[in-house]
Amino acid sequence: MIHREANLQFDVATTNSLRGVAILIITAFHVILYYDISPVFNVFGSVAVAVFLMLSGYGINESWKKHGLKHYWLKKVRRVVLPYWLFLLVVAAVSRKLVWRDFLLDISFIHSSYWFIEYLVRCYVVYWVARKFFPRHAMAVLLAFGLLSLHLFMQIEAEQSFSFFLGVVASEQKERLYAWKPATVRHLFWGSLGVGIFFYLFKAIPAIHQFKGTWGYVYLLVPIKLSWGISLVLAPYYLPAITRSGFLHVLGRCSLELYLVHMALLPCLVFGVQGALLYVALTVVLTALFYLFDTRLMPKVIPLKS
């Protein structure tokens, strides 16, 4: 383990690279899940999701500190909503399966095919409401949303109840975080890792595991995702090669497209080396085309006027 003396930083290069790490983990997790390999790997996918939500909360709040809510929804529509709608249309056209009721629920983010996109948009809405109508109590509103998520949503969402909120908190306390001494960062890294291990082992106890699906069980999942997510976010502090990696940086920039494409292609995954290689090749090509379309055409469709 490399011990650095530099200050903690969450600049664009670092956050993009962390998104690259996260989407790589999520993609590998879904392939492993498809091959029905040991469920011990299941936790890593949700930890990577927690990192995504933390970075989303951090990035949105950093943008708000610079620009307020100016172009807030234009940016979200251009970068997330319209690409998602286009993706759904393409998938429906290729599969020739389109149930209008389900499609309308999907594009309205009431019951989406991809739960993470629906949850992310929900976070966007709550953040906007908090900053727009409750500016003095925005953090309290976001915390309340986390508490409601913990008790009202399905387990896969409930276990992420405070990930987005934690990212916003990190942005609010950025100057203090940047002033941390190396020892403080080390303590947080190893402490978070240890907390996650404790709760992971605790929930694995047969007498505890039988409560899976209950609120009490979700209470054990939340600290696992949060604490291990924090450790992963701090990884570039120890491994600066993560931030310097051009490969991870590219993955981070096209993480939305890669998430959607790799999920849609999973049913096409054939067992064996050739099937896996074909899956990877198709995923790379379609992700690249999708990303180029989103970054070159969408700005022309929805320009951000000054």
Side-chain angles (χ1 to χ4, degrees):
M1 184 69 70
I2 300 174
H3 296 280
R4 298 178 64 200
E5 297 301 323
N7 291 333
L8 193 65
Q9 293 289 331
F10 292 112
D11 53 16
V12 174
T14 300
T15 54
N16 259 338
S17 297
L18 281 171
R19 286 190 180 90
V21 172
I23 194 59
L24 195 60
I25 292 173
I26 290 171
T27 303
F29 159 72
H30 285 141
V31 172
I32 289 172
L33 191 65
Y34 184 82
Y35 280 133
D36 197 24
I37 302 175
S38 174
V40 73
F41 295 102
N42 290 359
V43 68
F44 298 112
S46 53
V47 169
V49 169
V51 170
F52 259 117
L53 290 170
M54 289 179 194
L55 295 176
S56 295
Y58 180 87
I60 282 178
N61 203 63
E62 285 296 292
S63 178
W64 172 79
K65 288 194 293 186
K66 295 177 181 177
H67 311 292
L69 294 177
K70 184 178 181 180
H71 300 318
Y72 181 85
W73 281 115
L74 281 178
K75 294 175 183 177
K76 301 298 175 286
V77 168
R78 190 172 80 177
R79 189 65 190 98
V80 178
V81 177
L82 280 183
Y84 181 63
W85 288 353
L86 173 65
F87 176 79
L88 292 177
L89 286 172
V90 171
V91 170
V94 172
S95 65
R96 297 182 180 179
K97 296 179 181 178
L98 179 61
V99 179
W100 281 106
R101 179 180 178 276
D102 294 341
F103 182 76
L104 292 175
L105 289 174
D106 205 334
I107 64 174
S108 61
F109 303 102
I110 295 175
H111 185 66
S112 300
S113 303
Y114 300 85
W115 76 268
F116 175 73
I117 302 297
E118 178 182 329
Y119 188 81
L120 188 61
V121 171
R122 195 179 296 154
C123 289
Y124 292 161
V125 172
V126 173
Y127 184 88
W128 180 81
V129 169
R131 290 298 187 191
K132 181 73 174 180
F133 300 105
F134 307 96
R136 295 184 180 181
H137 307 286
M139 299 303 292
V141 172
L142 292 171
L143 178 59
F145 170 67
L147 292 171
L148 288 174
S149 300
L150 183 62
H151 297 95
L152 296 180
F153 300 149
M154 59 182 182
Q155 178 179 302
I156 197 171
E157 296 174 318
E159 65 188 24
Q160 303 291 351
S161 295
F162 303 104
S163 300
F164 182 86
F165 173 73
L166 186 60
V168 177
V169 171
S171 172
E172 289 290 295
Q173 302 297 321
K174 184 176 74 171
E175 298 307 320
R176 291 185 179 183
L177 298 183
Y178 282 9
W180 278 356
K181 296 180 179 179
T184 304
V185 180
R186 289 197 295 270
H187 292 159
L188 181 60
F189 177 86
W190 291 109
S192 297
L193 199 62
V195 168
I197 292 173
F198 171 80
F199 279 98
Y200 182 78
L201 295 176
F202 185 71
K203 81 173 183 65
I205 298 173
I208 301 298
H209 192 72
Q210 67 179 346
F211 291 100
K212 185 177 181 179
T214 66
W215 285 350
Y217 191 79
V218 175
Y219 294 159
L220 298 178
L221 296 177
V222 170
I224 296 174
K225 319 307 177 183
L226 284 180
S227 57
W228 281 354
I230 291 171
S231 293
L232 187 54
V233 167
L234 293 177
Y237 183 82
Y238 286 106
L239 299 171
I242 292 176
T243 301
R244 295 196 298 265
S245 172
F247 173 68
L248 292 177
H249 187 72
V250 169
L251 286 183
R253 294 185 65 181
C254 64
S255 55
L256 172 68
E257 292 80 7
L258 178 54
Y259 171 75
L260 294 173
V261 169
H262 96 272
M263 289 288 288
L265 290 178
L266 275 177
C268 304
L269 182 58
V270 179
F271 290 93
V273 175
Q274 290 182 338
L277 291 176
L278 179 60
Y279 172 80
V280 171
L282 283 174
T283 300
V284 170
V285 171
L286 293 179
T287 297
L289 293 174
F290 191 11
Y291 176 74
L292 289 174
F293 180 87
D294 286 345
T295 54
R296 294 190 178 183
L297 184 61
M298 287 300 176
K300 297 179 181 178
V301 174
I302 306 181
L304 296 182
K305 299 178 181 179
S306 57

